[in-house]
Amino acid sequence: MPGVKISIIGAGSASFSLRLVGDLCKTKGLSGSLVSLMDIDKNRLNAVHTLAKKYAEELGSDLRFETTMNLEDSIKDASFVVNTALVGGHSYFEKVRQISEKYGYYRGIDAQEFNMVSDYYTISNFNQIKFMFDVAKLIEKLSPKAWLLQAANPVFELTTLISRVVPINMVGICHGHHGVDYIIEKMGLEKQKVDWQVAGVNHGIWLTRFKYEGKDAHHLIDELLEKELKNFKPTNPFDDQISLVAKDMYEFYGRMPIGDTVRNGSWKYHYNLETKKKWFGEPWGGVDSELGWKWYQERQAERAIITQQVAKYFKEKPKAKLLSKETQQAIISTAKDDLKKEYTKEVYELLDPEKKSGEQHILLANALLNDEKVDLVLNILNKGTIPGIADDVAVEIPVYADKNGIHPYKIDPDIPERIKKMYLMPRILRMEWALEAFLTGDRRVLEEFLIRDPRTRSYEQVVKVIDEILALPENEEMRKHYSKK
Amino acid sequence: MPGVKISIIGAGSASFSLRLVGDLCKTKGLSGSLVSLMDIDKNRLNAVHTLAKKYAEELGSDLRFETTMNLEDSIKDASFVVNTALVGGHSYFEKVRQISEKYGYYRGIDAQEFNMVSDYYTISNFNQIKFMFDVAKLIEKLSPKAWLLQAANPVFELTTLISRVVPINMVGICHGHHGVDYIIEKMGLEKQKVDWQVAGVNHGIWLTRFKYEGKDAHHLIDELLEKELKNFKPTNPFDDQISLVAKDMYEFYGRMPIGDTVRNGSWKYHYNLETKKKWFGEPWGGVDSELGWKWYQERQAERAIITQQVAKYFKEKPKAKLLSKETQQAIISTAKDDLKKEYTKEVYELLDPEKKSGEQHILLANALLNDEKVDLVLNILNKGTIPGIADDVAVEIPVYADKNGIHPYKIDPDIPERIKKMYLMPRILRMEWALEAFLTGDRRVLEEFLIRDPRTRSYEQVVKVIDEILALPENEEMRKHYSKK
């Protein structure tokens, strides 16, 4: 096999990049490929490179790697470009969050604009959207036949924007639908006997079909919720697939919200920390709270340290084995117990030749390249798949992929009208407003966006928060962009 | 001519009913018709009856009248049913407004739900929507070939609801598009040389085409706004077609908002009385303010007194003439000067055989019955007329009517995307939520509706305001309805 070139933009994100590398190592059809690791953070890039080579070696796979800090070099000749970059990193979002909360925009994922938690800022992350847009246009110029696999957020906005405007092959990829696997495991069902579908938009997908042995099995969801929520106590801030929020949304909308959809309910669940705790459970009140996000940030920082330690270790001892006792002792001696466990588990899974990561990128690449048909859940333009949603809006839907491309399955049964009109459409409108702002550079659109935000009390509040965000030194380009009108 | 039966439900509204009667008197094709005046307020009904007969007599027309307090009697055998009833009257809305403001729902028309001003309550006026729905079903049962002309608000919600669910001929009618005539007059243009279109949804229509002598004439709007707004001073609270709000919306959306559309902008113009005054002008801050609405209520009360005086006078002196000096002196001696003028002007216009009221109901009836083609602006299901809006949503669009029915004109040019995505779609969603609540009786929909309202600060606020409104004695049926789930 000659292999192809696969570019990972933002490859410094170790756990994500290594999951892709692991999948690649275990995919015969992509043997011989060149993985181009691109990042602007040299340290992180080198660490990932060292580890990627190590995994490839221990898995005995025929992969080549290159590292580059130059975007064009990485994209040139690529057949697949996985874009997972986070421009400005989490520290930028933290700055925006602080400014926003100062002006009364308390964190809550429903808003998905100024001051949202996580990395899903739709109107204040101009630099992120601009970068993703530029990458897409660069692909059009340098590798017009390549596929762009958009992994970085905001997936919904970016998939819609790029698919509408840039004539390349592209798809948005998220793993939120694995919430269904979690539910099935909790029920103790045989996976093969469950027939399910999810549909919606990114971070807003719903379990539209749930059958066991050919029969509707929603009663099993009722039972599961009943059982699990008697003494609900999340194990971590992300543990919300079976939660009081999920149950409340399930009861109101008639279908189970899957993955980040649960975080993305209305302000009913987010007004303040007390409300969040009530709905998402103690002690954190979910990940989209002061406490939950702190937990996540600290954990991320610790994991970054482990990554650097591990990379340094293998740089010095290239012949050491990933799972040897010595290695384990040497590299994670300082980490907390649960992080040690998590890390070791990940290494085991990465080295297990039978186990793939659950990320869809490599499965998709293999299907497109080698015609190995595979079922996935991807973000592509609707084009009639979900009735009542415009053709040119990116939806997250079940599809199969093969050498002829990506083919949506019929959504059967359809998404209930209440979900479309009360959950999906409001979210779709906010996406449209974000793109309207981005494409026109009209500051008034940002203003109107916030005027419709339930956290806004006055026009002055809107003006002030936008002014202060635009005044951040890293937002010089954004400032210019929004001075056009 | 044998004539037909025309039923007016809620005929106690004197000025509206008399405008229709005036139009009928001046429409040869409807000569010989029977006008069935129906209302549950006997005094108001009798007053209107007396005056209607008087006008018909002085205009020398061949109309017959009947009065009834029985809905079924009025609908039976009718060819047209004009529904203009306001269940509970303005006093009910005043109660709801007071409760709502107590809980932080300050008045502002954008919300169009709890605590809106005017008579356009979409979720707290269950009795109104229920009554209109029942009238439609009664027409289906008693006079299945009749046309329902829906004049009462909420026109948008009711036209969509009834057109979707009840298989009768129906159309929603409003006169908001006369704002265009006002603009043309202000410009001093020859009406015949202006080619214009408006399109949108009820109370949300935009001047999509404005040509003078075949050429785009938006520069005349720019000039008019520039000139008129140098020293903007509204003559009454409704005087907002040329206002700072209209200008701001025009600049942002790229088209001129027409009629109530101006009142129906975002919270930017409505946060508090000071904001309202800034945008809608001193001293009232528009009609959707404490001061503006007080002005309107007082005026309505005074007008009601005049109506009763006039009716009493003609009851006693059946041979007196409407415009004689004695009549004038006798009946409006106690009224304020501007009201006297307004009243006298209305009588003149009603008695002018060449002048019609500007209401569209009788024009439409005549076109449908006698094939006299006429151009109108009506509310009907979209069915593809405005791209990007669902087929089953009622839109307010230019049409022509003839014996074959109502035929939409092509909207050319189309409504700009920004108007669709930032103004129309949010409004359409609120309509959908109101219908979802009404059709399901699910109280949680009312709650979610308010949770998405920018005035809401907590879930408790939502629960309390709904509880108190449901507890009103006149809301017994609503209370039962929303206890279903």
Side-chain angles (χ1 to χ4, degrees):
Chain A
M1 288 266 176
V4 292
K5 181 176 174 184
I6 298 165
S7 160
I8 303 179
I9 312 292
S13 167
S15 70
F16 179 76
S17 294
L18 293 175
R19 284 206 296 278
L20 295 201
V21 168
D23 288 349
L24 268 170
C25 292
K26 299 165 198 171
T27 305
K28 275 190 190 161
L30 293 165
S31 182
S33 290
L34 168 66
V35 182
S36 173
L37 302 166
M38 187 270 155
D39 206 292
I40 54 165
D41 184 325
K42 201 171 179 176
N43 280 341
R44 288 167 56 121
L45 186 60
N46 288 339
V48 168
H49 187 206
T50 301
L51 292 171
K53 278 189 296 184
K54 192 75 212 165
Y55 278 104
E57 179 199 311
E58 291 207 18
L59 279 159
S61 65
D62 176 23
L63 282 184
R64 288 167 298 134
F65 296 95
E66 67 172 33
T67 59
T68 178
M69 293 171 70
N70 184 293
L71 194 57
E72 306 201 1
D73 288 349
S74 190
I75 287 173
K76 202 157 187 308
D77 302 322
S79 295
F80 298 96
V81 178
V82 180
N83 198 343
T84 183
L86 187 57
V87 179
H90 276 107
S91 65
Y92 170 67
F93 294 118
E94 200 52 41
K95 278 190 195 179
V96 173
R97 193 174 302 122
Q98 273 169 22
I99 294 173
S100 306
E101 296 202 339
K102 185 169 105 184
Y103 288 108
Y105 294 93
Y106 178 62
R107 65 189 75 196
I109 203 170
D110 180 51
Q112 302 214 334
E113 45 267 4
F114 284 152
N115 192 29
M116 205 213 62
V117 294
S118 184
D119 54 355
Y120 211 105
Y121 285 51
T122 60
I123 63 174
S124 56
N125 63 355
F126 173 82
N127 291 337
Q128 172 85 349
I129 296 182
K130 181 71 171 33
F131 176 76
M132 299 300 155
F133 194 48
D134 288 347
V135 167
K137 287 192 287 188
L138 217 49
I139 292 172
E140 183 193 3
K141 189 179 146 198
L142 300 176
S143 301
K145 290 187 177 169
W147 274 86
L148 168 60
L149 315 187
Q150 182 65 40
N153 281 323
V155 164
F156 180 32
E157 277 73 9
L158 290 169
T159 307
T160 303
L161 172 69
I162 295 170
S163 299
R164 282 181 184 175
V165 178
V166 190
I168 57 170
N169 295 312
M170 87 87 69
V171 61
I173 305 190
C174 187
H175 48 222
H177 61 280
H178 288 309
V180 183
D181 299 329
Y182 178 83
I183 290 172
I184 294 170
E185 272 168 37
K186 277 273 176 192
M187 287 174 175
L189 300 181
E190 281 181 62
K191 225 171 163 177
Q192 295 73 10
K193 292 183 179 171
V194 181
D195 171 16
W196 61 269
Q197 278 193 330
V198 291
V201 301
N202 182 239
H203 295 179
I205 54 172
W206 298 80
L207 188 60
T208 47
R209 189 202 294 166
F210 190 68
K211 291 181 174 182
Y212 187 65
E213 297 186 322
K215 284 180 198 154
D216 183 83
H218 274 87
H219 65 284
L220 297 179
I221 296 177
D222 302 339
E223 287 166 23
L224 182 71
L225 290 169
E226 170 82 17
K227 194 185 110 198
E228 295 283 329
L229 295 177
K230 263 182 191 148
N231 297 299
F232 176 52
K233 179 92 183 134
T235 57
N236 67 68
F238 288 92
D239 182 14
D240 59 10
Q241 183 59 73
I242 306 294
S243 63
L244 291 172
V245 196
K247 181 170 184 272
D248 197 58
M249 291 171 78
Y250 171 62
E251 287 173 353
F252 182 63
Y253 287 107
R255 298 288 182 276
M256 194 66 182
I258 299 298
D260 288 322
T261 314
V262 179
R263 295 164 63 188
N264 202 358
S266 75
W267 278 98
K268 179 177 181 182
Y269 315 114
H270 287 281
Y271 285 113
N272 49 41
L273 185 57
E274 194 192 333
T275 307
K276 286 176 196 272
K277 282 183 179 179
K278 181 188 149 192
W279 286 106
F280 288 89
E282 300 270 3
W284 303 284
V287 71
D288 302 309
S289 78
E290 304 86 308
L291 303 182
W293 197 246
K294 189 163 172 275
W295 179 95
Y296 175 67
Q297 281 182 311
E298 286 173 1
R299 198 166 180 92
Q300 287 298 91
E302 286 172 39
R303 289 200 51 134
I305 292 168
I306 295 179
T307 300
Q308 288 297 333
Q309 281 182 339
V310 177
K312 189 165 169 264
Y313 181 79
F314 285 107
K315 198 88 189 168
E316 287 160 8
K317 304 195 177 182
K319 290 191 177 163
K321 292 281 174 192
L322 275 156
L323 281 174
S324 76
K325 227 175 194 169
E326 298 77 31
T327 304
Q328 291 293 305
Q329 280 179 344
I331 59 184
I332 57 169
S333 56
T334 59
K336 283 184 191 161
D337 273 356
D338 61 333
L339 270 179
K340 271 187 212 168
K341 255 191 221 163
E342 186 178 286
Y343 173 76
T344 312
K345 187 168 169 254
E346 280 177 20
V347 179
Y348 266 100
E349 287 180 359
L350 270 165
L351 292 178
D352 180 346
E354 299 302 316
K355 188 143 190 160
K356 291 198 176 162
S357 71
E359 299 291 350
Q360 302 181 97
H361 311 73
I362 305 306
L363 292 170
L364 174 61
N366 186 47
L368 293 167
L369 212 61
N370 300 315
D371 203 23
E372 287 188 32
K373 188 190 158 195
V374 64
D375 285 349
L376 301 167
V377 176
L378 297 177
N379 293 271
I380 54 175
L381 292 190
N382 186 38
K383 292 183 181 167
T385 304
I386 304 177
I389 292 182
D391 286 348
D392 66 348
V393 167
V395 290
E396 188 163 309
I397 46 173
V399 301
Y400 69 91
D402 59 20
K403 71 168 177 197
N404 296 317
I406 294 168
H407 318 279
Y409 285 109
K410 183 175 163 54
I411 307 302
D412 180 25
D414 190 14
I415 301 174
E417 282 300 304
R418 183 177 287 186
I419 293 178
K420 288 184 191 174
K421 288 174 179 164
M422 301 194 72
Y423 186 98
L424 294 176
M425 285 308 298
R427 177 68 190 94
I428 289 169
L429 285 187
R430 289 202 302 268
M431 175 277 290
E432 295 288 3
W433 303 346
L435 297 195
E436 175 79 5
F438 177 76
L439 288 170
T440 62
D442 187 343
R443 181 190 154 117
R444 295 172 301 180
V445 179
L446 300 183
E447 292 180 358
E448 271 296 330
F449 201 123
L450 284 188
I451 286 166
R452 291 124 194 259
D453 187 305
R455 294 167 300 183
T456 297
R457 307 281 175 268
S458 72
Y459 180 62
E460 291 66 39
Q461 180 188 1
V462 169
V463 171
K464 279 183 188 164
V465 76
I466 293 177
D467 279 348
E468 195 158 327
I469 286 167
L470 289 178
L472 286 172
E474 51 268 73
N475 281 341
E476 191 185 340
E477 199 182 345
M478 184 184 183
R479 200 155 60 239
K480 275 185 201 151
H481 185 67
Y482 286 109
S483 307
K484 285 180 192 167
K485 284 188 186 177
Chain B
M1 287 268 175
V4 292
K5 180 177 174 183
I6 298 166
S7 160
I8 303 179
I9 312 294
S13 167
S15 70
F16 179 76
S17 294
L18 292 175
R19 284 205 297 279
L20 295 200
V21 168
D23 289 348
L24 268 170
C25 292
K26 299 163 197 172
T27 304
K28 275 190 187 160
L30 292 165
S31 183
S33 289
L34 167 66
V35 181
S36 173
L37 302 166
M38 187 270 156
D39 206 292
I40 54 166
D41 183 324
K42 201 171 182 177
N43 280 341
R44 289 167 55 122
L45 186 60
N46 288 339
V48 169
H49 187 205
T50 301
L51 292 170
K53 280 188 297 186
K54 191 75 210 164
Y55 278 104
E57 177 199 313
E58 292 207 17
L59 278 158
S61 65
D62 176 23
L63 282 184
R64 290 167 295 135
F65 295 94
E66 68 171 33
T67 59
T68 176
M69 293 172 69
N70 184 294
L71 193 58
E72 306 202 0
D73 289 349
S74 190
I75 288 173
K76 201 154 189 309
D77 302 322
S79 294
F80 299 96
V81 178
V82 180
N83 197 344
T84 184
L86 187 57
V87 179
H90 276 106
S91 66
Y92 170 67
F93 294 119
E94 202 52 43
K95 277 191 196 179
V96 172
R97 194 174 301 122
Q98 275 169 21
I99 293 173
S100 306
E101 297 203 337
K102 185 170 105 185
Y103 288 108
Y105 294 93
Y106 179 60
R107 65 189 76 198
I109 202 170
D110 180 52
Q112 302 214 334
E113 44 267 5
F114 282 153
N115 191 30
M116 209 215 56
V117 294
S118 184
D119 55 355
Y120 212 105
Y121 286 51
T122 59
I123 62 174
S124 57
N125 63 354
F126 173 83
N127 291 337
Q128 172 84 350
I129 296 182
K130 180 69 171 32
F131 176 76
M132 298 300 155
F133 194 50
D134 288 347
V135 168
K137 288 191 288 187
L138 216 49
I139 291 172
E140 183 194 1
K141 188 178 148 198
L142 299 177
S143 300
K145 289 186 178 169
W147 274 85
L148 168 60
L149 314 186
Q150 183 65 41
N153 282 322
V155 165
F156 181 30
E157 277 73 10
L158 289 170
T159 308
T160 303
L161 172 69
I162 295 169
S163 299
R164 282 181 182 173
V165 178
V166 190
I168 57 170
N169 294 312
M170 87 86 70
V171 61
I173 305 190
C174 186
H175 48 223
H177 62 280
H178 287 309
V180 183
D181 299 330
Y182 178 83
I183 290 172
I184 294 170
E185 273 168 37
K186 276 273 174 191
M187 287 175 176
L189 300 181
E190 283 182 62
K191 225 171 161 174
Q192 296 73 12
K193 292 182 179 171
V194 181
D195 170 15
W196 62 269
Q197 277 192 332
V198 291
V201 301
N202 182 239
H203 296 178
I205 55 172
W206 298 81
L207 189 59
T208 47
R209 189 201 295 166
F210 190 67
K211 292 180 174 183
Y212 186 64
E213 297 186 322
K215 285 178 197 155
D216 183 84
H218 274 87
H219 65 284
L220 297 178
I221 295 177
D222 302 339
E223 288 165 24
L224 182 71
L225 290 169
E226 170 83 17
K227 195 185 109 200
E228 295 283 329
L229 295 178
K230 263 181 192 150
N231 297 298
F232 176 53
K233 179 95 182 132
T235 57
N236 67 68
F238 288 92
D239 182 12
D240 60 10
Q241 183 59 72
I242 307 292
S243 64
L244 291 172
V245 196
K247 182 171 184 272
D248 197 58
M249 290 171 78
Y250 171 61
E251 287 173 352
F252 181 63
Y253 287 107
R255 297 289 182 275
M256 195 66 182
I258 299 298
D260 289 321
T261 314
V262 179
R263 295 164 64 188
N264 201 357
S266 74
W267 278 98
K268 179 177 182 182
Y269 315 114
H270 288 280
Y271 286 114
N272 49 43
L273 185 57
E274 194 192 334
T275 307
K276 286 176 196 274
K277 282 183 178 179
K278 181 187 149 194
W279 287 106
F280 289 88
E282 300 270 2
W284 305 282
V287 71
D288 302 308
S289 78
E290 304 84 309
L291 304 180
W293 195 246
K294 187 162 172 275
W295 180 95
Y296 175 67
Q297 282 182 311
E298 285 172 3
R299 199 167 181 90
Q300 287 296 92
E302 286 172 38
R303 289 202 50 136
I305 292 167
I306 295 180
T307 301
Q308 289 296 332
Q309 281 182 339
V310 177
K312 187 164 169 265
Y313 181 79
F314 285 108
K315 198 87 191 169
E316 286 160 6
K317 304 194 175 183
K319 290 191 177 163
K321 292 281 174 192
L322 274 156
L323 282 173
S324 75
K325 229 177 194 166
E326 299 77 31
T327 302
Q328 292 293 305
Q329 281 179 343
I331 59 183
I332 56 169
S333 56
T334 59
K336 283 184 191 161
D337 273 357
D338 61 333
L339 269 179
K340 271 186 209 167
K341 255 192 221 163
E342 187 178 286
Y343 172 76
T344 311
K345 186 167 168 254
E346 281 177 17
V347 178
Y348 265 100
E349 288 181 357
L350 269 166
L351 292 178
D352 180 346
E354 299 302 316
K355 188 143 191 161
K356 291 197 175 162
S357 72
E359 300 289 352
Q360 303 181 97
H361 312 72
I362 305 306
L363 292 170
L364 174 61
N366 187 46
L368 292 167
L369 210 62
N370 300 316
D371 203 24
E372 287 189 31
K373 189 191 158 195
V374 64
D375 285 348
L376 301 167
V377 176
L378 296 177
N379 294 271
I380 56 174
L381 292 190
N382 185 38
K383 292 183 181 167
T385 304
I386 304 177
I389 292 182
D391 286 348
D392 66 347
V393 167
V395 290
E396 188 162 309
I397 46 173
V399 300
Y400 70 91
D402 60 19
K403 71 169 177 196
N404 296 317
I406 294 168
H407 317 278
Y409 284 110
K410 183 175 162 56
I411 308 302
D412 180 27
D414 190 13
I415 301 175
E417 282 299 304
R418 183 177 287 185
I419 293 179
K420 288 184 191 174
K421 287 175 179 164
M422 300 194 72
Y423 186 97
L424 294 177
M425 284 308 299
R427 178 68 190 92
I428 289 169
L429 284 188
R430 290 202 301 268
M431 174 278 289
E432 295 288 3
W433 304 344
L435 298 195
E436 175 79 5
F438 177 76
L439 288 171
T440 62
D442 187 344
R443 182 191 153 117
R444 293 171 303 178
V445 179
L446 299 184
E447 292 181 357
E448 271 297 329
F449 201 123
L450 284 188
I451 286 167
R452 290 124 193 260
D453 187 304
R455 296 167 298 183
T456 297
R457 307 282 176 268
S458 71
Y459 180 63
E460 292 65 39
Q461 180 188 1
V462 169
V463 171
K464 278 181 187 165
V465 77
I466 294 176
D467 279 351
E468 195 157 330
I469 286 167
L470 290 179
L472 287 170
E474 50 269 73
N475 281 342
E476 190 184 341
E477 199 181 346
M478 184 185 183
R479 201 157 57 240
K480 273 185 203 151
H481 185 65
Y482 286 110
S483 308
K484 283 181 193 167
K485 283 189 185 177

